[in-house]
Amino acid sequence: MRITRRRTLLAMTTLTAATGLGATTPPAAPKGPGFEHGVASGDPLTDRVILWTRLSGVDAPSDVQWQVAHDDAFTQIVAQGHFGTDTGRDYTVKVDVAGLTPATDYVYRFRYGQVVSPTGRTRTLALQTDKVVLAAVSCSLHSNGYFNAYRAIADLDHIDAVVHLGDYIYEYGAGLTDYGMGNGRLLGRIPEPPHEIVTLSDYRTRHAQYKRDEDLQAAHARAPWICVFDDHEICNNPWKDGAENHTPPSKDGPGEGEWSVRKAVALKAYREWMPIRDPAPGKLSEAIYRSFRFGNLAELIMIETRLLARSKQLDFSDLKMVDGRPDFDAFRTQLNDPQRELFGAEQRIWLNTTLQTSVRDGVRWQVLGNQVIMAKIAGPDLIKRFGPETVASLMASLPDSARSQLQTMIGLFSRPDPFPLNLDAWDGYPAERERFYAMTKAAGARTIVLSGDSHTAWANELHDAAGNQVAVELGVTAITSPTRWLELPGLDLAQTLADQNEEVVAADDTNNGFVLVTLTPDEMIGEWKSVDTITSRQFRCTTQQRFVVKASEGGATRFV
């Protein structure tokens, strides 16, 4: 049985497929040159920032002017220049503007002849500051709903940067049962192209569709973004040498091509279409790990755990049978194998050095931009939750396929040593997690982990294998992706996981939104920001819960 946030126990869900409602026509081609994909900035440093746009409506090499100014009227221009673009980079424009002043707000725009882009706002990092505000986001499935959470970020009074933790796009197609297409047909948000994306042209087209969204454009134009990819920018659940949602060539046919080719074209499109600094010469495109220092207040450390070194995920279908019974001990030995890794040696060395240097330089907070959930989270013990009589009654009412999956869940999770819910998360790599915990303890870091991927809001307190408090984790729910992993009558999965797992302080899988993080020298405040709908453009954004960490001496962080 495969347990993932997308396919979890589909036989037991209450989802129904929508019929072909709300069909849409492709967007009209722009009349002449324009900037229909908006503008964006990213990867800010104290003296520079990346500016991005795309020139549409041209079919030959073109020269685009860029301008940076202090004022909206662009009477106080502080930097300007030209950038040549062509079909080799899909007519995207990306400029690393240097020579800027620390802790300064700027406006920027692009020109092509008489055509002027929208104006964007950006900000350089400070040399010294006593407050940093970050919006952490993840998982924006275009077909499943309107990007109201992005609009709410665009409307914030103050924000220093948006931290995107991955799944900026999704690779799925527009088939009747494809992920998100129940809402997609009702709302007319049909993926472009309408099939699963595999080629360079496919990935570029999907990025272009996302960047045409007015709410996403507004969030990009509001503040600089600091991004890392997760899995769906390529395809579901990849590891170093393949992916769950990729079919390699075999004796049965060509499949979806060589994994290395698909990964390369997906990353090329990502680098073209995102406001992210390109890798240094000699560095792999996968090597997206880097850090950003906000004075002596915070260091944002973005890591990569998908493509560079990740060992293949284990799956509960890998359980071997011995004398007709699953060999749980052998599976657990596999799971704890110290050779299983996420970082790779080079990134581990870099991360350790970054943590040590940050603490040595007196930086108050070390904030980890992390793709997948780090906390230890065992799957739900349904017998403990409902009692054996209720579970037996439920078993009797289910069809055979669902009954089999429920029995598997009980075997895995209703035991004295329950298995993790999600083997694609850090729970599938416990030895690597302990190596990271050893780093943060040795450095004496005050570590705040920001995590995406799970479509659930989390507040977790992280402990090493010996039970020592190491860090706290704020998990980000989804911008629009479905938030429920499992539907069973009477089961609040998130609350059950919080009740049954020591590290989970709180969890919620009912709302879409983002996490707003405010850092000061004395405390970190994390707020779950929730939108009340993704199926209407009329929405309210509220603070669902609020979590505080005090900057105590000694490194380890905990909620108060």
Side-chain angles (χ1 to χ4, degrees):
M1 180 182 66
R2 178 174 295 277
I3 295 180
T4 72
R5 64 187 182 281
R6 187 173 76 89
R7 293 194 175 92
T8 299
L9 308 179
L10 290 179
M12 293 190 288
T13 65
T14 57
L15 298 176
T16 56
T19 55
L21 302 175
T24 62
T25 57
K31 297 178 180 179
F35 297 97
E36 65 169 321
H37 301 99
V39 299
S41 68
D43 279 10
L45 299 176
T46 56
D47 66 339
R48 64 181 56 221
V49 69
I50 297 291
L51 303 183
W52 178 94
T53 191
R54 180 179 187 266
L55 180 63
S56 52
V58 295
D59 58 7
S62 302
D63 192 60
V64 176
Q65 183 187 18
W66 56 269
Q67 296 177 316
V68 179
H70 286 304
D71 64 314
D72 291 341
F74 285 83
T75 60
Q76 303 175 52
I77 294 175
V78 298
Q80 59 185 326
H82 291 80
F83 187 93
T85 187
D86 57 27
T87 187
R89 55 179 303 113
D90 203 19
Y91 294 99
T92 59
V93 173
K94 189 158 62 172
V95 186
D96 195 350
V97 180
L100 303 178
T101 303
T104 302
D105 293 307
Y106 293 99
V107 294
Y108 63 94
R109 67 184 181 186
F110 300 86
R111 287 178 173 272
Y112 180 75
Q114 299 303 308
V115 181
V116 182
S117 76
T119 296
R121 300 184 180 278
T122 194
R123 181 174 175 80
T124 50
L125 302 187
L127 293 171
Q128 294 294 335
T129 184
D130 58 5
K131 185 177 180 180
V132 170
V133 180
L134 305 172
V137 300
S138 182
C139 304
S140 45
L141 180 61
H142 184 276
S143 58
N144 197 53
Y146 296 122
F147 289 160
N148 292 337
Y150 283 149
R151 175 61 65 175
I153 290 170
D155 292 340
L156 289 171
D157 290 335
H158 175 78
I159 184 172
D160 290 291
V162 176
V163 182
H164 203 296
L165 300 168
D167 295 343
Y168 181 95
I169 65 167
Y170 279 73
E171 81 273 25
Y172 303 117
L176 186 63
T177 60
D178 279 335
Y179 195 40
M181 282 311 298
N183 279 347
R185 281 181 164 73
L186 291 170
L187 300 175
R189 290 171 75 87
I190 309 301
E192 300 170 14
H195 54 262
E196 182 179 327
I197 54 177
V198 177
T199 68
L200 177 58
S201 175
D202 290 343
Y203 283 101
R204 285 170 164 175
T205 299
R206 188 65 55 86
H207 275 281
Q209 179 183 27
Y210 273 65
K211 282 291 203 307
R212 286 199 308 272
D213 185 277
E214 61 186 31
D215 299 316
L216 177 55
Q217 286 190 17
H220 270 303
R222 175 67 182 81
W225 285 43
I226 298 170
C227 306
V228 65
F229 51 73
D230 187 30
D231 54 340
H232 292 291
E233 288 89 348
I234 302 93
C235 65
N236 190 54
N237 286 4
W239 63 93
K240 181 176 64 173
D241 300 316
E244 179 273 335
N245 193 31
H246 178 78
T247 305
S250 69
K251 59 182 178 58
D252 299 320
E256 293 170 315
E258 295 292 342
W259 167 246
S260 60
V261 174
R262 184 176 188 180
K263 179 174 67 172
V265 299
L267 291 176
K268 177 174 171 55
Y270 184 86
R271 292 283 186 179
E272 290 171 345
W273 280 84
M274 297 297 290
I276 182 172
R277 193 164 278 107
D278 289 334
K283 288 287 187 180
L284 295 173
S285 190
E286 296 95 314
I288 202 170
Y289 58 87
R290 63 219 194 276
S291 68
F292 301 87
R293 186 172 290 188
F294 295 78
N296 282 342
L297 181 59
E299 183 122 12
L300 176 62
I301 304 167
M302 305 295 287
I303 60 173
E304 198 291 306
T305 61
R306 278 292 177 193
L307 301 178
L308 278 171
R310 178 186 277 251
S311 305
K312 185 177 181 180
Q313 298 90 334
L314 291 178
D315 189 270
F316 290 120
S317 63
D318 298 326
L319 271 166
K320 301 294 190 296
M321 304 299 289
V322 177
D323 297 328
R325 300 175 65 85
D327 190 342
F328 290 123
D329 290 340
F331 187 80
R332 198 174 293 279
T333 298
Q334 268 189 289
L335 188 62
N336 288 306
D337 183 348
Q339 298 301 311
R340 293 181 55 72
E341 64 176 334
L342 293 173
F343 287 135
E346 184 174 311
Q347 185 176 187
R348 267 195 301 274
I349 293 169
W350 169 84
L351 178 57
N352 187 54
T353 301
T354 301
L355 287 167
Q356 295 276 355
T357 303
S358 184
V359 174
R360 186 176 63 244
D361 290 350
V363 178
R364 194 70 164 165
W365 301 98
Q366 286 69 46
V367 182
L368 197 75
N370 170 51
Q371 292 150 305
V372 295
I373 295 297
M374 189 173 286
K376 303 179 187 74
I377 304 174
D381 184 340
L382 299 180
I383 292 179
K384 181 185 292 185
R385 168 65 181 83
F386 292 117
E389 296 81 8
T390 300
V391 171
S393 176
L394 179 61
M395 283 277 202
S397 69
L398 292 172
D400 289 345
S401 60
R403 186 181 304 117
S404 174
Q405 294 191 60
L406 187 58
Q407 287 171 332
T408 302
M409 282 188 68
I410 291 170
L412 292 169
F413 307 140
S414 297
R415 48 187 296 115
D417 54 345
F419 283 94
L421 176 66
N422 183 7
L423 297 179
D424 181 61
W426 281 80
D427 262 337
Y429 305 82
E432 188 78 294
R433 181 168 54 198
E434 287 302 307
R435 288 190 284 266
F436 169 68
Y437 288 168
M439 287 184 212
T440 194
K441 286 187 298 181
R446 291 185 189 86
T447 304
I448 307 292
V449 179
L450 301 179
S451 302
D453 181 70
S454 73
H455 308 182
T456 299
W458 301 93
N460 302 322
E461 292 188 333
L462 307 180
H463 302 80
D464 64 15
N468 300 308
Q469 177 90 20
V470 178
V472 299
E473 176 177 41
L474 289 172
V476 181
T477 187
I479 293 291
T480 53
S481 301
T483 58
R484 285 296 177 98
W485 284 40
L486 170 65
E487 298 281 0
L488 276 178
L491 177 67
D492 182 334
L493 178 61
Q495 187 58 53
T496 299
L497 295 174
D499 291 341
Q500 295 181 356
N501 286 277
E502 179 184 358
E503 294 197 349
V504 182
V505 174
D508 178 80
D509 62 356
T510 60
N511 294 282
N512 292 95
F514 60 98
V515 170
L516 190 67
V517 177
T518 302
L519 296 157
T520 68
D522 297 325
E523 64 184 11
M524 184 282 301
I525 300 172
E527 299 171 88
W528 289 352
K529 295 289 189 179
S530 298
V531 294
D532 62 347
T533 181
I534 58 171
T535 57
S536 168
R537 291 194 181 277
Q538 303 300 313
F539 72 95
R540 291 190 312 117
C541 182
T542 58
T543 300
Q544 185 187 353
Q545 289 200 54
R546 187 173 182 267
F547 304 91
V548 178
V549 173
K550 295 295 185 182
S552 59
E553 299 304 320
T557 53
R558 65 187 70 245
F559 295 117
V560 297

